[in-house]
Amino acid sequence: RCVGSLQLWLRVSGVQATFDPEKDLWPLPYRQGRVELRVILHEVLFSMASTATEAVAAVELSMPVERLHRCRLPSPQYSDVRPLGPRGVRAGVSFEWRCSFPLTVLLPSSQKNLVISIFEPKNWQLLGTAEFLVDGVLSQVAETSGRQDLDNIPVFTRNNAGVCGSLSLTVRAVPWNLAQDFPLQAGREPSAVPCFEN
C-alpha cells in the first residue's frame, strides 16, 4: 500500500561506489490504536511569591510523532478560574479538574508529554509550566486501564529559568471500548474540596 512519496538527488562519482542493502522506509514499526487519556489535576503549590489572586490551568498533549504522521491531535482543555489560597509563605490552587482526551496514537508510544500551564486569568500571564511523559501510562493500556498517581511534579517558571512550585495529578489511560461504555465529561470533581496541608 502506497502511503507517500520520496524525492532525492543522487550523485555517483567516478570512483567505485558501494551501497547499503535495501532498507524499508515505510511502514515504520508502529501500529495505530484508539485510547482515551483521562487526567485529574489535583492541586498546584507555588514556592515563589506572586501578585496573582486567581489561576486557570491549560492541559494539552505534545505528540511530535503523531504530528509528523498527520494524526489528528487533541485541542487544549482549560479549567475554570480558581482562587490562589495562602499556604504560609506559599500560594496554592486546588483545581480537582478532570480532562478527557480521545486519542488516535501510534504504538509503541513515543515522546508523548502532558503539558500543564498555569495562567493568571486577567491578563493570561504565565505563572508556571509542568510536563509529564505519558508513554509509560499509554503502554499499559490493555483489558484494564493503566493509571499513575503523581505528586511533586516540578512546575517551572517562564523559559524554564527555575522551579517555582509543584503539582499533583492522576493520569489514566483507558481502552477505547471501555471509555465508550463509561464516558467521562470534563469538569470539576463533584466532591472536590481544598486539600492544602497545614
Side-chain angles (χ1 to χ4, degrees):
R1 183 169 68 115
C2 180
V3 294
S5 62
L6 174 68
Q7 292 181 336
L8 58 86
W9 288 97
L10 179 63
R11 179 180 179 182
V12 180
S13 62
V15 299
Q16 184 176 1
T18 59
F19 296 95
D20 292 333
E22 180 180 350
K23 294 183 178 179
D24 291 332
L25 298 179
W26 192 273
L28 296 175
Y30 290 119
R31 70 182 189 279
Q32 197 174 73
R34 298 294 305 275
V35 64
E36 186 169 281
L37 189 70
R38 297 179 175 182
V39 180
I40 301 176
L41 173 61
H42 297 297
E43 67 173 358
V44 180
L45 299 176
F46 289 101
S47 57
M48 301 175 63
S50 173
T51 58
T53 58
E54 295 178 320
V56 63
V59 184
E60 57 188 324
L61 283 163
S62 172
M63 302 167 63
V65 175
E66 279 73 11
R67 182 180 295 276
L68 176 66
H69 293 284
R70 300 178 182 271
C71 294
R72 185 175 181 179
L73 304 181
S75 300
Q77 298 187 26
Y78 297 86
S79 74
D80 59 355
V81 176
R82 302 297 303 157
L84 263 76
R87 184 178 180 271
V89 297
R90 308 171 71 183
V93 190
S94 176
F95 284 103
E96 295 300 335
W97 191 264
R98 60 179 183 264
C99 304
S100 176
F101 295 96
L103 302 176
T104 298
V105 296
L106 297 177
L107 301 171
S109 184
S110 173
Q111 302 178 48
K112 295 178 183 60
N113 277 294
L114 183 70
V115 182
I116 300 172
S117 303
I118 311 299
F119 296 93
E120 199 282 321
K122 292 182 180 179
N123 55 17
W124 288 101
Q125 176 185 357
L126 180 64
L127 302 177
T129 303
E131 292 190 14
F132 172 68
L133 191 68
V134 295
D135 291 329
V137 175
L138 291 171
S139 66
Q140 297 174 16
V141 175
E143 296 301 324
T144 58
S145 58
R147 170 178 169 158
Q148 283 189 337
D149 297 298
L150 303 144
D151 295 313
N152 298 319
I153 297 176
V155 176
F156 293 91
T157 58
R158 283 177 291 179
N159 302 320
N160 290 327
V163 176
C164 64
S166 63
L167 61 79
S168 59
L169 54 83
T170 297
V171 182
R172 183 193 300 267
V174 182
W176 187 251
N177 292 339
L178 187 62
Q180 300 308 295
D181 292 338
F182 300 94
L184 175 72
Q185 297 295 323
R188 191 161 168 80
E189 286 287 277
S191 59
V193 294
C195 54
F196 304 129
E197 299 174 3
N198 295 323

